[in-house]
Amino acid sequence: MRVRPRTTVLFAAMTLTGVLVAAAPAAAAPSAETATPVATNRTGTIFPGTFALPDGFQPEGIAIGALPYAFFGSRATGAIYRVSLLTGRGEVINPGSGTPSLGLKVDLRGRLFVSGGNTATGATARVVNAFTGELLASYQFSSVPSFVNDVVLTSDAAWFTDSTNPVLYKLPLNRWGGLPDADEAETLPLTGDIVYGAGVNANGIVTTPDGRGLLIVQSGTGLLFRVDPATGVTRTVDLGGELLTNGDGLLREGRTLYVVQNRLNTVAVFELDRAGTSARLVEKVTSPAFDVPTTVAAYANRLYLPNARFTTPPTATTPYTTTSIPRP
C-alpha cells in the first residue's frame, strides 16, 4: 500500500542546514540522568555515552543521519523511537502496528526506511517521515514467510536483505528520489556462492567502496559476500581466513568496514579493497557495556550500538540501552 505523504521539504531543508527546530524532548522519555556522559566530538561537547531506551522496547536497528539524532526500531511492536544524541532524551514518533522494525536507514530527505522483520505473512518494508513519524509508504514484497532484516540506501534504490529467502528486495527511486508505487518493488534472486541454510542467512548490507556492488554478511556461516546488483550473482569476499560468526549489522565508511558480531559482543574492523572483493582484519573491539549489540551507526568520532539483549528473556519491564564506543 502506498500512502500519499504530506511534504517533507521542511525536514530536508532543516537537515541540510543542520537545524531541527521542533525536536523538543518528550516528557515520557527515559531520563537523561540514566545516561553516562562522555566527550564525543572534537570541540569537547559532552554527549551521553550510554542512554536508556524504553523498557520492553526490544531494539534491533539503529540509524543516524546528518543531525545528532538516532532512530531505533522495536522488534516487539514495530515502534520507532527517536533520541537526541546531545541529551539522551527521546520519544516514540511512530507506535508501529505489530510488524517488527529491524534494519533502519535515514536519508537527507528525512525519510526513514524500515525493514519489516520476520513474519509468517510475507516480506514487508515501510517508509516513515523521520520528523513527524507519519507513514509515507508501505510495501509487501512477497506473501511467503520471510525475515526482512536490514536495508542500505544507494543513489537510486533502497535494498533489503531477507534472512529466510535467497533474495534481495529493491525499492527503485526515481531521478528526483521519489518513492515507487507498491507494484514497482522488485525482487532479485541471489545466485553464485551463497547457499542458504538453517538459521539466519543474509543479514547486514552495505555498498562496496567503489559503489558498484553490495556486501552482505551471512550470520550462520560467518561469510561475507559481494553481490552484483544487476544480476544477483554473489561471490565470497576473501577475509584472509577470518569468519564473521554471528555477523549482524554492517557499517562502511570509505574502505573501513565495521561488522557487529552480536552474541560475541564484538565489533570487527576490516579494511576493504575498492571493489569489495577482499578485506583485511584491522582489529576487534569489545566493551563491558555490550549486551548483545546488533547494529551500528556513527556520529562524530563515536560508534553507537543498541543492546538487543538476546540472552535475556524479554518482558514489558526489561530495560534496554544503547552504548557508544570511540570510533576505532
mmCIF file of all heavy atoms in Angstrom, residues 206-245:
data_model
loop_
_atom_site.group_PDB
_atom_site.id
_atom_site.type_symbol
_atom_site.label_atom_id
_atom_site.label_comp_id
_atom_site.label_asym_id
_atom_site.label_seq_id
_atom_site.Cartn_x
_atom_site.Cartn_y
_atom_site.Cartn_z
ATOM 1 N N VAL A 206 25.668 -3.394 3.058
ATOM 2 C CA VAL A 206 26.254 -2.094 2.746
ATOM 3 C C VAL A 206 26.676 -2.103 1.282
ATOM 4 O O VAL A 206 26.658 -3.140 0.616
ATOM 5 C CB VAL A 206 27.485 -1.764 3.635
ATOM 6 C CG1 VAL A 206 27.101 -1.574 5.078
ATOM 7 C CG2 VAL A 206 28.562 -2.835 3.495
ATOM 8 N N THR A 207 27.079 -0.951 0.777
ATOM 9 C CA THR A 207 27.636 -0.866 -0.568
ATOM 10 C C THR A 207 29.142 -1.093 -0.515
ATOM 11 O O THR A 207 29.778 -0.960 0.536
ATOM 12 C CB THR A 207 27.368 0.514 -1.181
ATOM 13 O OG1 THR A 207 27.919 1.523 -0.313
ATOM 14 C CG2 THR A 207 25.875 0.757 -1.355
ATOM 15 N N THR A 208 29.726 -1.442 -1.653
ATOM 16 C CA THR A 208 31.171 -1.561 -1.765
ATOM 17 C C THR A 208 31.792 -0.166 -1.875
ATOM 18 O O THR A 208 31.117 0.803 -2.235
ATOM 19 C CB THR A 208 31.563 -2.385 -2.992
ATOM 20 O OG1 THR A 208 30.994 -1.782 -4.167
ATOM 21 C CG2 THR A 208 31.059 -3.815 -2.872
ATOM 22 N N PRO A 209 33.093 -0.022 -1.572
ATOM 23 C CA PRO A 209 33.713 1.307 -1.649
ATOM 24 C C PRO A 209 33.599 1.968 -3.019
ATOM 25 O O PRO A 209 33.473 3.193 -3.100
ATOM 26 C CB PRO A 209 35.175 1.017 -1.289
ATOM 27 C CG PRO A 209 35.111 -0.167 -0.386
ATOM 28 C CD PRO A 209 34.006 -1.015 -0.953
ATOM 29 N N ASP A 210 33.621 1.180 -4.094
ATOM 30 C CA ASP A 210 33.513 1.781 -5.421
ATOM 31 C C ASP A 210 32.069 2.042 -5.842
ATOM 32 O O ASP A 210 31.809 2.589 -6.915
ATOM 33 C CB ASP A 210 34.227 0.936 -6.473
ATOM 34 C CG ASP A 210 33.612 -0.456 -6.654
ATOM 35 O OD1 ASP A 210 32.549 -0.738 -6.063
ATOM 36 O OD2 ASP A 210 34.215 -1.273 -7.393
ATOM 37 N N GLY A 211 31.108 1.640 -4.991
ATOM 38 C CA GLY A 211 29.704 1.889 -5.274
ATOM 39 C C GLY A 211 29.087 0.993 -6.330
ATOM 40 O O GLY A 211 27.918 1.167 -6.688
ATOM 41 N N ARG A 212 29.818 0.012 -6.802
ATOM 42 C CA ARG A 212 29.324 -0.831 -7.889
ATOM 43 C C ARG A 212 28.702 -2.133 -7.420
ATOM 44 O O ARG A 212 28.111 -2.869 -8.224
ATOM 45 C CB ARG A 212 30.464 -1.136 -8.865
ATOM 46 C CG ARG A 212 31.021 0.102 -9.546
ATOM 47 C CD ARG A 212 32.132 -0.261 -10.513
ATOM 48 N NE ARG A 212 32.641 0.924 -11.214
ATOM 49 C CZ ARG A 212 33.608 0.904 -12.123
ATOM 50 N NH1 ARG A 212 34.191 -0.253 -12.437
ATOM 51 N NH2 ARG A 212 34.003 2.027 -12.690
ATOM 52 N N GLY A 213 28.854 -2.450 -6.149
ATOM 53 C CA GLY A 213 28.322 -3.713 -5.640
ATOM 54 C C GLY A 213 27.749 -3.539 -4.252
ATOM 55 O O GLY A 213 27.778 -2.456 -3.655
ATOM 56 N N LEU A 214 27.209 -4.641 -3.734
ATOM 57 C CA LEU A 214 26.672 -4.692 -2.385
ATOM 58 C C LEU A 214 27.400 -5.768 -1.602
ATOM 59 O O LEU A 214 27.837 -6.777 -2.177
ATOM 60 C CB LEU A 214 25.175 -5.008 -2.417
ATOM 61 C CG LEU A 214 24.291 -4.042 -3.212
ATOM 62 C CD1 LEU A 214 22.893 -4.638 -3.392
ATOM 63 C CD2 LEU A 214 24.212 -2.686 -2.524
ATOM 64 N N LEU A 215 27.540 -5.577 -0.299
ATOM 65 C CA LEU A 215 28.127 -6.572 0.583
ATOM 66 C C LEU A 215 27.073 -7.029 1.574
ATOM 67 O O LEU A 215 26.370 -6.203 2.173
ATOM 68 C CB LEU A 215 29.325 -5.999 1.340
ATOM 69 C CG LEU A 215 30.514 -5.532 0.510
ATOM 70 C CD1 LEU A 215 31.548 -4.852 1.405
ATOM 71 C CD2 LEU A 215 31.150 -6.691 -0.248
ATOM 72 N N ILE A 216 26.946 -8.347 1.760
ATOM 73 C CA ILE A 216 26.022 -8.901 2.744
ATOM 74 C C ILE A 216 26.755 -9.926 3.597
ATOM 75 O O ILE A 216 27.612 -10.662 3.106
ATOM 76 C CB ILE A 216 24.784 -9.555 2.080
ATOM 77 C CG1 ILE A 216 25.214 -10.642 1.087
ATOM 78 C CG2 ILE A 216 23.933 -8.505 1.384
ATOM 79 C CD1 ILE A 216 24.032 -11.396 0.475
ATOM 80 N N VAL A 217 26.442 -9.950 4.877
ATOM 81 C CA VAL A 217 27.034 -10.930 5.773
ATOM 82 C C VAL A 217 26.011 -12.013 6.049
ATOM 83 O O VAL A 217 24.823 -11.741 6.239
ATOM 84 C CB VAL A 217 27.526 -10.276 7.085
ATOM 85 C CG1 VAL A 217 26.380 -9.699 7.891
ATOM 86 C CG2 VAL A 217 28.325 -11.269 7.922
ATOM 87 N N GLN A 218 26.468 -13.264 6.031
ATOM 88 C CA GLN A 218 25.617 -14.407 6.339
ATOM 89 C C GLN A 218 25.916 -14.833 7.771
ATOM 90 O O GLN A 218 26.990 -15.362 8.070
ATOM 91 C CB GLN A 218 25.867 -15.555 5.362
ATOM 92 C CG GLN A 218 24.888 -16.702 5.491
ATOM 93 C CD GLN A 218 25.121 -17.782 4.438
ATOM 94 O OE1 GLN A 218 26.240 -17.962 3.957
ATOM 95 N NE2 GLN A 218 24.075 -18.503 4.080
ATOM 96 N N SER A 219 24.962 -14.604 8.673
ATOM 97 C CA SER A 219 25.220 -14.794 10.096
ATOM 98 C C SER A 219 25.593 -16.220 10.449
ATOM 99 O O SER A 219 26.507 -16.466 11.241
ATOM 100 C CB SER A 219 23.984 -14.372 10.903
ATOM 101 O OG SER A 219 23.667 -13.032 10.673
ATOM 102 N N GLY A 220 24.868 -17.184 9.886
ATOM 103 C CA GLY A 220 25.084 -18.580 10.262
ATOM 104 C C GLY A 220 26.441 -19.132 9.870
ATOM 105 O O GLY A 220 27.031 -19.919 10.610
ATOM 106 N N THR A 221 26.951 -18.727 8.714
ATOM 107 C CA THR A 221 28.238 -19.250 8.237
ATOM 108 C C THR A 221 29.413 -18.341 8.558
ATOM 109 O O THR A 221 30.571 -18.774 8.507
ATOM 110 C CB THR A 221 28.205 -19.450 6.710
ATOM 111 O OG1 THR A 221 28.035 -18.167 6.073
ATOM 112 C CG2 THR A 221 27.075 -20.375 6.307
ATOM 113 N N GLY A 222 29.138 -17.061 8.855
ATOM 114 C CA GLY A 222 30.215 -16.115 9.096
ATOM 115 C C GLY A 222 30.908 -15.644 7.832
ATOM 116 O O GLY A 222 31.994 -15.064 7.905
ATOM 117 N N LEU A 223 30.286 -15.854 6.684
ATOM 118 C CA LEU A 223 30.881 -15.446 5.416
ATOM 119 C C LEU A 223 30.344 -14.088 4.972
ATOM 120 O O LEU A 223 29.215 -13.714 5.299
ATOM 121 C CB LEU A 223 30.595 -16.490 4.332
ATOM 122 C CG LEU A 223 31.157 -17.889 4.573
ATOM 123 C CD1 LEU A 223 30.706 -18.846 3.465
ATOM 124 C CD2 LEU A 223 32.683 -17.865 4.670
ATOM 125 N N LEU A 224 31.175 -13.387 4.225
ATOM 126 C CA LEU A 224 30.798 -12.103 3.637
ATOM 127 C C LEU A 224 30.756 -12.284 2.127
ATOM 128 O O LEU A 224 31.647 -12.910 1.541
ATOM 129 C CB LEU A 224 31.808 -11.028 4.019
ATOM 130 C CG LEU A 224 31.492 -9.587 3.618
ATOM 131 C CD1 LEU A 224 30.334 -9.044 4.450
ATOM 132 C CD2 LEU A 224 32.729 -8.702 3.790
ATOM 133 N N PHE A 225 29.727 -11.729 1.492
ATOM 134 C CA PHE A 225 29.562 -11.902 0.049
ATOM 135 C C PHE A 225 29.428 -10.541 -0.638
ATOM 136 O O PHE A 225 28.814 -9.620 -0.098
ATOM 137 C CB PHE A 225 28.312 -12.737 -0.260
ATOM 138 C CG PHE A 225 28.378 -14.136 0.254
ATOM 139 C CD1 PHE A 225 27.877 -14.452 1.514
ATOM 140 C CD2 PHE A 225 28.950 -15.148 -0.501
ATOM 141 C CE1 PHE A 225 27.942 -15.743 2.002
ATOM 142 C CE2 PHE A 225 29.024 -16.446 -0.025
ATOM 143 C CZ PHE A 225 28.518 -16.747 1.228
ATOM 144 N N ARG A 226 29.999 -10.479 -1.828
ATOM 145 C CA ARG A 226 29.780 -9.332 -2.701
ATOM 146 C C ARG A 226 28.676 -9.701 -3.689
ATOM 147 O O ARG A 226 28.707 -10.777 -4.299
ATOM 148 C CB ARG A 226 31.039 -8.968 -3.474
ATOM 149 C CG ARG A 226 30.896 -7.708 -4.330
ATOM 150 C CD ARG A 226 32.099 -7.501 -5.234
ATOM 151 N NE ARG A 226 32.022 -6.213 -5.920
ATOM 152 C CZ ARG A 226 31.298 -5.968 -7.012
ATOM 153 N NH1 ARG A 226 30.570 -6.944 -7.553
ATOM 154 N NH2 ARG A 226 31.307 -4.777 -7.573
ATOM 155 N N VAL A 227 27.688 -8.823 -3.830
ATOM 156 C CA VAL A 227 26.551 -9.075 -4.715
ATOM 157 C C VAL A 227 26.607 -8.098 -5.888
ATOM 158 O O VAL A 227 26.786 -6.888 -5.691
ATOM 159 C CB VAL A 227 25.212 -8.886 -3.972
ATOM 160 C CG1 VAL A 227 24.043 -9.235 -4.891
ATOM 161 C CG2 VAL A 227 25.167 -9.732 -2.698
ATOM 162 N N ASP A 228 26.440 -8.629 -7.089
ATOM 163 C CA ASP A 228 26.268 -7.784 -8.267
ATOM 164 C C ASP A 228 24.803 -7.360 -8.297
ATOM 165 O O ASP A 228 23.922 -8.200 -8.504
ATOM 166 C CB ASP A 228 26.630 -8.564 -9.533
ATOM 167 C CG ASP A 228 26.539 -7.718 -10.786
ATOM 168 O OD1 ASP A 228 25.787 -6.728 -10.797
ATOM 169 O OD2 ASP A 228 27.214 -8.050 -11.791
ATOM 170 N N PRO A 229 24.500 -6.076 -8.096
ATOM 171 C CA PRO A 229 23.094 -5.667 -8.015
ATOM 172 C C PRO A 229 22.354 -5.757 -9.343
ATOM 173 O O PRO A 229 21.126 -5.689 -9.363
ATOM 174 C CB PRO A 229 23.185 -4.217 -7.540
ATOM 175 C CG PRO A 229 24.529 -3.759 -7.951
ATOM 176 C CD PRO A 229 25.416 -4.956 -7.874
ATOM 177 N N ALA A 230 23.077 -5.949 -10.439
ATOM 178 C CA ALA A 230 22.420 -6.081 -11.738
ATOM 179 C C ALA A 230 21.961 -7.510 -12.002
ATOM 180 O O ALA A 230 20.952 -7.731 -12.688
ATOM 181 C CB ALA A 230 23.363 -5.629 -12.858
ATOM 182 N N THR A 231 22.680 -8.495 -11.425
ATOM 183 C CA THR A 231 22.400 -9.894 -11.745
ATOM 184 C C THR A 231 22.029 -10.745 -10.534
ATOM 185 O O THR A 231 21.439 -11.814 -10.691
ATOM 186 C CB THR A 231 23.622 -10.536 -12.411
ATOM 187 O OG1 THR A 231 24.712 -10.567 -11.458
ATOM 188 C CG2 THR A 231 24.047 -9.754 -13.648
ATOM 189 N N GLY A 232 22.414 -10.321 -9.322
ATOM 190 C CA GLY A 232 22.198 -11.135 -8.133
ATOM 191 C C GLY A 232 23.275 -12.170 -7.893
ATOM 192 O O GLY A 232 23.206 -12.940 -6.927
ATOM 193 N N VAL A 233 24.300 -12.225 -8.744
ATOM 194 C CA VAL A 233 25.394 -13.180 -8.572
ATOM 195 C C VAL A 233 26.230 -12.778 -7.357
ATOM 196 O O VAL A 233 26.622 -11.608 -7.215
ATOM 197 C CB VAL A 233 26.268 -13.248 -9.824
ATOM 198 C CG1 VAL A 233 27.500 -14.120 -9.573
ATOM 199 C CG2 VAL A 233 25.473 -13.800 -11.001
ATOM 200 N N THR A 234 26.502 -13.733 -6.477
ATOM 201 C CA THR A 234 27.285 -13.481 -5.270
ATOM 202 C C THR A 234 28.644 -14.163 -5.369
ATOM 203 O O THR A 234 28.773 -15.253 -5.937
ATOM 204 C CB THR A 234 26.565 -14.006 -4.016
ATOM 205 O OG1 THR A 234 26.458 -15.442 -4.087
ATOM 206 C CG2 THR A 234 25.175 -13.410 -3.895
ATOM 207 N N ARG A 235 29.640 -13.504 -4.801
ATOM 208 C CA ARG A 235 30.979 -14.068 -4.708
ATOM 209 C C ARG A 235 31.488 -13.873 -3.283
ATOM 210 O O ARG A 235 31.314 -12.812 -2.697
ATOM 211 C CB ARG A 235 31.934 -13.404 -5.705
ATOM 212 C CG ARG A 235 31.608 -13.718 -7.153
ATOM 213 C CD ARG A 235 31.901 -15.180 -7.483
ATOM 214 N NE ARG A 235 31.539 -15.544 -8.856
ATOM 215 C CZ ARG A 235 30.509 -16.302 -9.185
ATOM 216 N NH1 ARG A 235 29.714 -16.772 -8.221
ATOM 217 N NH2 ARG A 235 30.251 -16.605 -10.440
ATOM 218 N N THR A 236 32.128 -14.914 -2.735
ATOM 219 C CA THR A 236 32.654 -14.856 -1.379
ATOM 220 C C THR A 236 33.795 -13.850 -1.300
ATOM 221 O O THR A 236 34.709 -13.867 -2.130
ATOM 222 C CB THR A 236 33.156 -16.233 -0.933
ATOM 223 O OG1 THR A 236 32.107 -17.194 -1.091
ATOM 224 C CG2 THR A 236 33.592 -16.206 0.522
ATOM 225 N N VAL A 237 33.735 -12.967 -0.313
ATOM 226 C CA VAL A 237 34.796 -11.992 -0.091
ATOM 227 C C VAL A 237 35.937 -12.667 0.661
ATOM 228 O O VAL A 237 35.712 -13.379 1.648
ATOM 229 C CB VAL A 237 34.269 -10.782 0.702
ATOM 230 C CG1 VAL A 237 35.399 -9.799 1.008
ATOM 231 C CG2 VAL A 237 33.148 -10.094 -0.067
ATOM 232 N N ASP A 238 37.145 -12.462 0.193
ATOM 233 C CA ASP A 238 38.330 -13.018 0.836
ATOM 234 C C ASP A 238 38.623 -12.227 2.101
ATOM 235 O O ASP A 238 39.039 -11.061 2.040
ATOM 236 C CB ASP A 238 39.512 -12.954 -0.130
ATOM 237 C CG ASP A 238 40.796 -13.527 0.467
ATOM 238 O OD1 ASP A 238 40.763 -14.024 1.618
ATOM 239 O OD2 ASP A 238 41.847 -13.454 -0.202
ATOM 240 N N LEU A 239 38.424 -12.851 3.260
ATOM 241 C CA LEU A 239 38.669 -12.204 4.553
ATOM 242 C C LEU A 239 39.978 -12.652 5.174
ATOM 243 O O LEU A 239 40.212 -12.433 6.368
ATOM 244 C CB LEU A 239 37.517 -12.509 5.517
ATOM 245 C CG LEU A 239 36.127 -12.029 5.099
ATOM 246 C CD1 LEU A 239 35.092 -12.436 6.136
ATOM 247 C CD2 LEU A 239 36.111 -10.523 4.899
ATOM 248 N N GLY A 240 40.843 -13.273 4.406
ATOM 249 C CA GLY A 240 42.126 -13.712 4.924
ATOM 250 C C GLY A 240 42.009 -14.781 5.982
ATOM 251 O O GLY A 240 42.832 -14.862 6.897
ATOM 252 N N GLY A 241 40.988 -15.617 5.860
ATOM 253 C CA GLY A 241 40.795 -16.704 6.815
ATOM 254 C C GLY A 241 39.903 -16.359 7.988
ATOM 255 O O GLY A 241 39.564 -17.243 8.789
ATOM 256 N N GLU A 242 39.495 -15.110 8.123
ATOM 257 C CA GLU A 242 38.607 -14.717 9.222
ATOM 258 C C GLU A 242 37.172 -15.152 8.935
ATOM 259 O O GLU A 242 36.751 -15.239 7.786
ATOM 260 C CB GLU A 242 38.635 -13.200 9.428
ATOM 261 C CG GLU A 242 39.960 -12.658 9.889
ATOM 262 C CD GLU A 242 40.280 -13.065 11.323
ATOM 263 O OE1 GLU A 242 39.329 -13.256 12.115
ATOM 264 O OE2 GLU A 242 41.475 -13.174 11.642
ATOM 265 N N LEU A 243 36.423 -15.433 9.998
ATOM 266 C CA LEU A 243 34.997 -15.719 9.898
ATOM 267 C C LEU A 243 34.227 -14.700 10.720
ATOM 268 O O LEU A 243 34.645 -14.329 11.824
ATOM 269 C CB LEU A 243 34.678 -17.123 10.407
ATOM 270 C CG LEU A 243 34.961 -18.294 9.466
ATOM 271 C CD1 LEU A 243 34.600 -19.610 10.157
ATOM 272 C CD2 LEU A 243 34.189 -18.153 8.165
ATOM 273 N N LEU A 244 33.103 -14.266 10.205
ATOM 274 C CA LEU A 244 32.262 -13.281 10.882
ATOM 275 C C LEU A 244 31.083 -13.985 11.551
ATOM 276 O O LEU A 244 29.915 -13.712 11.275
ATOM 277 C CB LEU A 244 31.785 -12.228 9.884
ATOM 278 C CG LEU A 244 32.913 -11.428 9.232
ATOM 279 C CD1 LEU A 244 32.384 -10.534 8.138
ATOM 280 C CD2 LEU A 244 33.658 -10.619 10.291
ATOM 281 N N THR A 245 31.393 -14.914 12.432
ATOM 282 C CA THR A 245 30.371 -15.666 13.151
ATOM 283 C C THR A 245 29.431 -14.713 13.884
ATOM 284 O O THR A 245 29.889 -13.760 14.517
ATOM 285 C CB THR A 245 31.030 -16.623 14.153
ATOM 286 O OG1 THR A 245 31.983 -17.439 13.454
ATOM 287 C CG2 THR A 245 29.994 -17.511 14.816
#
